[in-house]
Amino acid sequence: MDTNRLTRISKNEWRIEPHGKMNVPGIIYATAELIEAMDDKVFDQVRNVAQLPGIVQASYAMPDAHWGYGFCIGGVAAFDPDKGGVVSAGGVGFDIACGVRTLHTNLTAEDIASVRKELAEALFRHIPAGVGSTGKVKLSMHSIDDVLTGGAKWAVEHGYGLTDDLRFIEENGCMPDADQSKVSDHAKKRQLEQVGTLGSGNHYLEVQVVDKIYDPKTAKAFGIHEGDVKISIHCGSRGLGHQIGTDYLKSMATAANSMGIDLPERELACARLDSPIGLDYLGAMAAGVNCAMANRQVITHLVRQAVEKVLPKANIRLLYDVSHNTCKREKHTIQDGKKSLYVHRKGATRAFGPGDPSLPREYKDLGQPVLIGGTMGTASHILVGTEKSRELSFGSACHGAGRTMSRRSATKRWQGKSVVNQLAGEGVLIRSKSLRGVAEEAPGAYKDVDAVVESAQNAGLANRVARLVPVICVKG
DNA sequence: ATGTTC
């Protein structure tokens, strides 16, 4: 993207001045280098979102932004229901509540050094991964409704994990306003055997070692120390979320037309927040969020079982679980005062600062852990939300490294097998059913995650706490 | 992301 098209506000903040049909400006948080590497389509998509009815303050892009369906991935936009605001399925993303959960272990890098291969095999065997993968949880069309209303709470009640896990999940693991009756039977059918599976694409299960502490005080309070082994799970709502997205995209395209909403492009299909389709989507989406949280909870249980087989004394607890594809009703202070807004975060992580009532007591004075997944060969980061992010981005930060290359280009550039070998040489064991998937996910196809999080920090969105490097990565 | 183009 040409930075000449933007007004530079500071080293890490750039503005698209309102023009044409834009209701609000666009704001991109990134360094000049990151923006130059961004596709021009990010500019178009931030601008297009700014044209939607009822959008407030600005249409935002995070430092990891890249082209997506309708909204860019790394996009944040809030809508006011009192001003004709809308909800958009493309503004949430197909993988509803895709997110990251990071687990503490009581292990250090030394503890796992001699059993790394066994551990990799145990995790690979025990946690189903890959396109269309099915798991051990078998649901009926009746019982799946309990997953969709109960979320991770359903999983714990059915023996997958501990009650105390729930406190460390956004929404305590259960979105209360989920409406399973607004989810199609087709979407439910696709999920009957997929709870407790990782999926494909950029989803992964990683064993990581903490290699750098940026903020010792917060790290200690989060339970993070150099040399600690952590385990991170990156996945979402599988076939169910995807089908909800597909279903509502269609009905929203029709509805927007009949409601007279002037769509900048078809992919931005949306519905007014006070319309039947808008409300139905919010209920279905919340059910999708519950499905994703249940999924990560069941996987956590499987991780505990797999790790305990190799290391019987292992003790695994949650650090945090946060989604990065959602639309949530939140109170924010804007120009008009304190308002109840619907905040879309697509490839953007909630990053609430200290004092937020939704945080578990251990983190209340510090802020929310912001879990940033990297790539197989590089690093992941844990940041902490700031008070300032509320003003800057409705309390949001980046979600990962962000692609710089299409999946197709990546498969032309790299061979899956050589990526696996190269990473093995660097101390990362990759286990995957799909070498093609590994090639698509080659670290070189992504931006530099260290630069992305540094930019997020310098923009004021969240502060770095610790960096984790992968030692085992199970890919879909 | 996705029963990887209903």
PDB file of all heavy atoms in Angstrom, chain A residues 226-252:
ATOM      1  N   GLU A 226      10.806 -17.329  32.161  1.00  0.00           N
ATOM      2  CA  GLU A 226      11.679 -17.780  31.083  1.00  0.00           C
ATOM      3  C   GLU A 226      11.940 -19.283  31.240  1.00  0.00           C
ATOM      4  O   GLU A 226      12.181 -19.764  32.349  1.00  0.00           O
ATOM      5  CB  GLU A 226      13.001 -16.997  31.124  1.00  0.00           C
ATOM      6  CG  GLU A 226      13.666 -16.978  29.783  1.00  0.00           C
ATOM      7  CD  GLU A 226      14.829 -15.996  29.718  1.00  0.00           C
ATOM      8  OE1 GLU A 226      14.780 -14.938  30.388  1.00  0.00           O
ATOM      9  OE2 GLU A 226      15.785 -16.302  28.991  1.00  0.00           O
ATOM     10  N   GLY A 227      11.876 -20.013  30.120  1.00  0.00           N
ATOM     11  CA  GLY A 227      12.128 -21.455  30.152  1.00  0.00           C
ATOM     12  C   GLY A 227      10.888 -22.292  30.422  1.00  0.00           C
ATOM     13  O   GLY A 227      10.910 -23.518  30.273  1.00  0.00           O
ATOM     14  N   ASP A 228       9.777 -21.652  30.789  1.00  0.00           N
ATOM     15  CA  ASP A 228       8.513 -22.382  30.999  1.00  0.00           C
ATOM     16  C   ASP A 228       8.048 -23.042  29.709  1.00  0.00           C
ATOM     17  O   ASP A 228       8.202 -22.459  28.632  1.00  0.00           O
ATOM     18  CB  ASP A 228       7.371 -21.401  31.358  1.00  0.00           C
ATOM     19  CG  ASP A 228       7.367 -20.994  32.809  1.00  0.00           C
ATOM     20  OD1 ASP A 228       8.224 -21.461  33.566  1.00  0.00           O
ATOM     21  OD2 ASP A 228       6.479 -20.179  33.173  1.00  0.00           O
ATOM     22  N   VAL A 229       7.413 -24.193  29.838  1.00  0.00           N
ATOM     23  CA  VAL A 229       6.720 -24.809  28.701  1.00  0.00           C
ATOM     24  C   VAL A 229       5.247 -24.395  28.755  1.00  0.00           C
ATOM     25  O   VAL A 229       4.590 -24.564  29.788  1.00  0.00           O
ATOM     26  CB  VAL A 229       6.850 -26.343  28.747  1.00  0.00           C
ATOM     27  CG1 VAL A 229       5.958 -26.995  27.682  1.00  0.00           C
ATOM     28  CG2 VAL A 229       8.305 -26.760  28.541  1.00  0.00           C
ATOM     29  N   LYS A 230       4.760 -23.823  27.659  1.00  0.00           N
ATOM     30  CA  LYS A 230       3.334 -23.495  27.521  1.00  0.00           C
ATOM     31  C   LYS A 230       2.792 -24.271  26.320  1.00  0.00           C
ATOM     32  O   LYS A 230       3.568 -24.676  25.441  1.00  0.00           O
ATOM     33  CB  LYS A 230       3.143 -21.990  27.272  1.00  0.00           C
ATOM     34  CG  LYS A 230       3.818 -21.069  28.287  1.00  0.00           C
ATOM     35  CD  LYS A 230       3.191 -21.124  29.660  1.00  0.00           C
ATOM     36  CE  LYS A 230       3.885 -20.158  30.622  1.00  0.00           C
ATOM     37  NZ  LYS A 230       3.579 -20.504  32.042  1.00  0.00           N
ATOM     38  N   ILE A 231       1.498 -24.451  26.278  1.00  0.00           N
ATOM     39  CA  ILE A 231       0.871 -25.126  25.139  1.00  0.00           C
ATOM     40  C   ILE A 231      -0.229 -24.212  24.611  1.00  0.00           C
ATOM     41  O   ILE A 231      -1.055 -23.719  25.387  1.00  0.00           O
ATOM     42  CB  ILE A 231       0.295 -26.494  25.559  1.00  0.00           C
ATOM     43  CG1 ILE A 231       1.447 -27.409  26.047  1.00  0.00           C
ATOM     44  CG2 ILE A 231      -0.449 -27.150  24.402  1.00  0.00           C
ATOM     45  CD1 ILE A 231       1.002 -28.743  26.620  1.00  0.00           C
ATOM     46  N   SER A 232      -0.204 -23.947  23.311  1.00  0.00           N
ATOM     47  CA  SER A 232      -1.228 -23.071  22.734  1.00  0.00           C
ATOM     48  C   SER A 232      -2.054 -23.813  21.690  1.00  0.00           C
ATOM     49  O   SER A 232      -1.529 -24.610  20.912  1.00  0.00           O
ATOM     50  CB  SER A 232      -0.586 -21.836  22.098  1.00  0.00           C
ATOM     51  OG  SER A 232      -0.073 -20.998  23.102  1.00  0.00           O
ATOM     52  N   ILE A 233      -3.345 -23.519  21.711  1.00  0.00           N
ATOM     53  CA  ILE A 233      -4.306 -24.116  20.790  1.00  0.00           C
ATOM     54  C   ILE A 233      -4.894 -22.987  19.954  1.00  0.00           C
ATOM     55  O   ILE A 233      -5.405 -22.007  20.504  1.00  0.00           O
ATOM     56  CB  ILE A 233      -5.445 -24.805  21.578  1.00  0.00           C
ATOM     57  CG1 ILE A 233      -4.895 -25.934  22.457  1.00  0.00           C
ATOM     58  CG2 ILE A 233      -6.533 -25.306  20.640  1.00  0.00           C
ATOM     59  CD1 ILE A 233      -5.841 -26.321  23.596  1.00  0.00           C
ATOM     60  N   HIS A 234      -4.804 -23.117  18.643  1.00  0.00           N
ATOM     61  CA  HIS A 234      -5.404 -22.117  17.750  1.00  0.00           C
ATOM     62  C   HIS A 234      -6.429 -22.824  16.872  1.00  0.00           C
ATOM     63  O   HIS A 234      -6.058 -23.611  16.003  1.00  0.00           O
ATOM     64  CB  HIS A 234      -4.320 -21.449  16.878  1.00  0.00           C
ATOM     65  CG  HIS A 234      -4.885 -20.453  15.900  1.00  0.00           C
ATOM     66  ND1 HIS A 234      -4.326 -20.208  14.674  1.00  0.00           N
ATOM     67  CD2 HIS A 234      -5.952 -19.630  15.984  1.00  0.00           C
ATOM     68  CE1 HIS A 234      -5.029 -19.287  14.044  1.00  0.00           C
ATOM     69  NE2 HIS A 234      -6.026 -18.922  14.805  1.00  0.00           N
ATOM     70  N   CYS A 235      -7.710 -22.610  17.143  1.00  0.00           N
ATOM     71  CA  CYS A 235      -8.744 -23.186  16.279  1.00  0.00           C
ATOM     72  C   CYS A 235     -10.069 -22.484  16.557  1.00  0.00           C
ATOM     73  O   CYS A 235     -10.137 -21.587  17.393  1.00  0.00           O
ATOM     74  CB  CYS A 235      -8.870 -24.686  16.500  1.00  0.00           C
ATOM     75  SG  CYS A 235      -9.433 -25.122  18.123  1.00  0.00           S
ATOM     76  N   GLY A 236     -11.095 -22.894  15.832  1.00  0.00           N
ATOM     77  CA  GLY A 236     -12.360 -22.167  15.943  1.00  0.00           C
ATOM     78  C   GLY A 236     -13.574 -23.066  15.966  1.00  0.00           C
ATOM     79  O   GLY A 236     -13.585 -24.087  16.659  1.00  0.00           O
ATOM     80  N   SER A 237     -14.591 -22.690  15.182  1.00  0.00           N
ATOM     81  CA  SER A 237     -15.890 -23.346  15.266  1.00  0.00           C
ATOM     82  C   SER A 237     -16.120 -24.332  14.115  1.00  0.00           C
ATOM     83  O   SER A 237     -17.273 -24.749  13.888  1.00  0.00           O
ATOM     84  CB  SER A 237     -17.009 -22.308  15.313  1.00  0.00           C
ATOM     85  OG  SER A 237     -16.850 -21.355  14.286  1.00  0.00           O
ATOM     86  N   ARG A 238     -15.039 -24.673  13.393  1.00  0.00           N
ATOM     87  CA  ARG A 238     -15.079 -25.758  12.397  1.00  0.00           C
ATOM     88  C   ARG A 238     -16.239 -25.622  11.390  1.00  0.00           C
ATOM     89  O   ARG A 238     -16.589 -24.519  11.018  1.00  0.00           O
ATOM     90  CB  ARG A 238     -15.098 -27.118  13.117  1.00  0.00           C
ATOM     91  CG  ARG A 238     -13.996 -27.300  14.152  1.00  0.00           C
ATOM     92  CD  ARG A 238     -12.651 -27.601  13.519  1.00  0.00           C
ATOM     93  NE  ARG A 238     -12.606 -28.936  12.993  1.00  0.00           N
ATOM     94  CZ  ARG A 238     -12.567 -29.238  11.678  1.00  0.00           C
ATOM     95  NH1 ARG A 238     -12.626 -28.277  10.771  1.00  0.00           N
ATOM     96  NH2 ARG A 238     -12.482 -30.483  11.286  1.00  0.00           N
ATOM     97  N   GLY A 239     -16.817 -26.732  11.018  1.00  0.00           N
ATOM     98  CA  GLY A 239     -17.835 -26.701   9.965  1.00  0.00           C
ATOM     99  C   GLY A 239     -19.063 -25.892  10.344  1.00  0.00           C
ATOM    100  O   GLY A 239     -19.678 -25.248   9.497  1.00  0.00           O
ATOM    101  N   LEU A 240     -19.397 -25.901  11.643  1.00  0.00           N
ATOM    102  CA  LEU A 240     -20.607 -25.196  12.095  1.00  0.00           C
ATOM    103  C   LEU A 240     -20.503 -23.695  11.860  1.00  0.00           C
ATOM    104  O   LEU A 240     -21.395 -23.076  11.279  1.00  0.00           O
ATOM    105  CB  LEU A 240     -20.872 -25.488  13.573  1.00  0.00           C
ATOM    106  CG  LEU A 240     -22.110 -24.785  14.121  1.00  0.00           C
ATOM    107  CD1 LEU A 240     -23.099 -25.776  14.711  1.00  0.00           C
ATOM    108  CD2 LEU A 240     -21.763 -23.736  15.167  1.00  0.00           C
ATOM    109  N   GLY A 241     -19.395 -23.103  12.302  1.00  0.00           N
ATOM    110  CA  GLY A 241     -19.217 -21.659  12.131  1.00  0.00           C
ATOM    111  C   GLY A 241     -19.202 -21.276  10.672  1.00  0.00           C
ATOM    112  O   GLY A 241     -19.810 -20.284  10.258  1.00  0.00           O
ATOM    113  N   HIS A 242     -18.523 -22.093   9.891  1.00  0.00           N
ATOM    114  CA  HIS A 242     -18.426 -21.819   8.464  1.00  0.00           C
ATOM    115  C   HIS A 242     -19.808 -21.841   7.820  1.00  0.00           C
ATOM    116  O   HIS A 242     -20.133 -20.975   6.993  1.00  0.00           O
ATOM    117  CB  HIS A 242     -17.514 -22.855   7.811  1.00  0.00           C
ATOM    118  CG  HIS A 242     -17.146 -22.510   6.406  1.00  0.00           C
ATOM    119  ND1 HIS A 242     -17.893 -22.894   5.331  1.00  0.00           N
ATOM    120  CD2 HIS A 242     -16.126 -21.782   5.916  1.00  0.00           C
ATOM    121  CE1 HIS A 242     -17.338 -22.428   4.218  1.00  0.00           C
ATOM    122  NE2 HIS A 242     -16.262 -21.751   4.557  1.00  0.00           N
ATOM    123  N   GLN A 243     -20.626 -22.795   8.210  1.00  0.00           N
ATOM    124  CA  GLN A 243     -21.959 -22.913   7.620  1.00  0.00           C
ATOM    125  C   GLN A 243     -22.863 -21.755   8.076  1.00  0.00           C
ATOM    126  O   GLN A 243     -23.660 -21.252   7.284  1.00  0.00           O
ATOM    127  CB  GLN A 243     -22.587 -24.272   7.985  1.00  0.00           C
ATOM    128  CG  GLN A 243     -23.826 -24.588   7.181  1.00  0.00           C
ATOM    129  CD  GLN A 243     -23.560 -24.633   5.670  1.00  0.00           C
ATOM    130  OE1 GLN A 243     -22.584 -25.225   5.228  1.00  0.00           O
ATOM    131  NE2 GLN A 243     -24.421 -23.980   4.890  1.00  0.00           N
ATOM    132  N   ILE A 244     -22.732 -21.335   9.328  1.00  0.00           N
ATOM    133  CA  ILE A 244     -23.512 -20.165   9.793  1.00  0.00           C
ATOM    134  C   ILE A 244     -23.137 -18.953   8.937  1.00  0.00           C
ATOM    135  O   ILE A 244     -24.001 -18.212   8.468  1.00  0.00           O
ATOM    136  CB  ILE A 244     -23.239 -19.874  11.299  1.00  0.00           C
ATOM    137  CG1 ILE A 244     -23.793 -20.994  12.174  1.00  0.00           C
ATOM    138  CG2 ILE A 244     -23.858 -18.527  11.712  1.00  0.00           C
ATOM    139  CD1 ILE A 244     -23.400 -20.889  13.660  1.00  0.00           C
ATOM    140  N   GLY A 245     -21.845 -18.768   8.725  1.00  0.00           N
ATOM    141  CA  GLY A 245     -21.382 -17.654   7.891  1.00  0.00           C
ATOM    142  C   GLY A 245     -21.972 -17.724   6.495  1.00  0.00           C
ATOM    143  O   GLY A 245     -22.513 -16.737   5.978  1.00  0.00           O
ATOM    144  N   THR A 246     -21.899 -18.901   5.900  1.00  0.00           N
ATOM    145  CA  THR A 246     -22.414 -19.090   4.539  1.00  0.00           C
ATOM    146  C   THR A 246     -23.915 -18.820   4.488  1.00  0.00           C
ATOM    147  O   THR A 246     -24.401 -18.105   3.614  1.00  0.00           O
ATOM    148  CB  THR A 246     -22.123 -20.535   4.074  1.00  0.00           C
ATOM    149  OG1 THR A 246     -20.713 -20.751   4.184  1.00  0.00           O
ATOM    150  CG2 THR A 246     -22.558 -20.755   2.639  1.00  0.00           C
ATOM    151  N   ASP A 247     -24.656 -19.399   5.455  1.00  0.00           N
ATOM    152  CA  ASP A 247     -26.118 -19.222   5.488  1.00  0.00           C
ATOM    153  C   ASP A 247     -26.503 -17.743   5.577  1.00  0.00           C
ATOM    154  O   ASP A 247     -27.350 -17.258   4.833  1.00  0.00           O
ATOM    155  CB  ASP A 247     -26.723 -19.945   6.717  1.00  0.00           C
ATOM    156  CG  ASP A 247     -26.647 -21.471   6.608  1.00  0.00           C
ATOM    157  OD1 ASP A 247     -26.444 -21.989   5.499  1.00  0.00           O
ATOM    158  OD2 ASP A 247     -26.790 -22.132   7.665  1.00  0.00           O
ATOM    159  N   TYR A 248     -25.876 -17.035   6.529  1.00  0.00           N
ATOM    160  CA  TYR A 248     -26.309 -15.653   6.789  1.00  0.00           C
ATOM    161  C   TYR A 248     -25.766 -14.660   5.760  1.00  0.00           C
ATOM    162  O   TYR A 248     -26.371 -13.612   5.540  1.00  0.00           O
ATOM    163  CB  TYR A 248     -25.959 -15.233   8.220  1.00  0.00           C
ATOM    164  CG  TYR A 248     -26.988 -15.769   9.187  1.00  0.00           C
ATOM    165  CD1 TYR A 248     -26.831 -17.005   9.800  1.00  0.00           C
ATOM    166  CD2 TYR A 248     -28.154 -15.053   9.449  1.00  0.00           C
ATOM    167  CE1 TYR A 248     -27.790 -17.517  10.656  1.00  0.00           C
ATOM    168  CE2 TYR A 248     -29.130 -15.550  10.300  1.00  0.00           C
ATOM    169  CZ  TYR A 248     -28.944 -16.783  10.907  1.00  0.00           C
ATOM    170  OH  TYR A 248     -29.910 -17.279  11.745  1.00  0.00           O
ATOM    171  N   LEU A 249     -24.646 -14.992   5.151  1.00  0.00           N
ATOM    172  CA  LEU A 249     -24.151 -14.129   4.085  1.00  0.00           C
ATOM    173  C   LEU A 249     -25.195 -14.019   2.984  1.00  0.00           C
ATOM    174  O   LEU A 249     -25.473 -12.938   2.463  1.00  0.00           O
ATOM    175  CB  LEU A 249     -22.854 -14.733   3.535  1.00  0.00           C
ATOM    176  CG  LEU A 249     -21.736 -13.784   3.190  1.00  0.00           C
ATOM    177  CD1 LEU A 249     -21.392 -12.827   4.293  1.00  0.00           C
ATOM    178  CD2 LEU A 249     -20.517 -14.593   2.825  1.00  0.00           C
ATOM    179  N   LYS A 250     -25.790 -15.157   2.663  1.00  0.00           N
ATOM    180  CA  LYS A 250     -26.817 -15.187   1.621  1.00  0.00           C
ATOM    181  C   LYS A 250     -28.028 -14.360   2.039  1.00  0.00           C
ATOM    182  O   LYS A 250     -28.492 -13.512   1.293  1.00  0.00           O
ATOM    183  CB  LYS A 250     -27.264 -16.643   1.355  1.00  0.00           C
ATOM    184  CG  LYS A 250     -26.352 -17.369   0.396  1.00  0.00           C
ATOM    185  CD  LYS A 250     -26.899 -18.772   0.123  1.00  0.00           C
ATOM    186  CE  LYS A 250     -25.766 -19.708  -0.292  1.00  0.00           C
ATOM    187  NZ  LYS A 250     -26.036 -21.107   0.018  1.00  0.00           N
ATOM    188  N   SER A 251     -28.537 -14.636   3.258  1.00  0.00           N
ATOM    189  CA  SER A 251     -29.762 -13.926   3.648  1.00  0.00           C
ATOM    190  C   SER A 251     -29.482 -12.446   3.876  1.00  0.00           C
ATOM    191  O   SER A 251     -30.353 -11.610   3.644  1.00  0.00           O
ATOM    192  CB  SER A 251     -30.409 -14.588   4.863  1.00  0.00           C
ATOM    193  OG  SER A 251     -29.475 -14.814   5.874  1.00  0.00           O
ATOM    194  N   MET A 252     -28.264 -12.103   4.317  1.00  0.00           N
ATOM    195  CA  MET A 252     -27.948 -10.684   4.515  1.00  0.00           C
ATOM    196  C   MET A 252     -27.848  -9.938   3.187  1.00  0.00           C
ATOM    197  O   MET A 252     -28.204  -8.762   3.111  1.00  0.00           O
ATOM    198  CB  MET A 252     -26.633 -10.530   5.284  1.00  0.00           C
ATOM    199  CG  MET A 252     -26.776 -10.746   6.782  1.00  0.00           C
ATOM    200  SD  MET A 252     -25.191 -10.543   7.606  1.00  0.00           S
ATOM    201  CE  MET A 252     -25.705 -10.782   9.321  1.00  0.00           C
TER     202      MET A 252
END
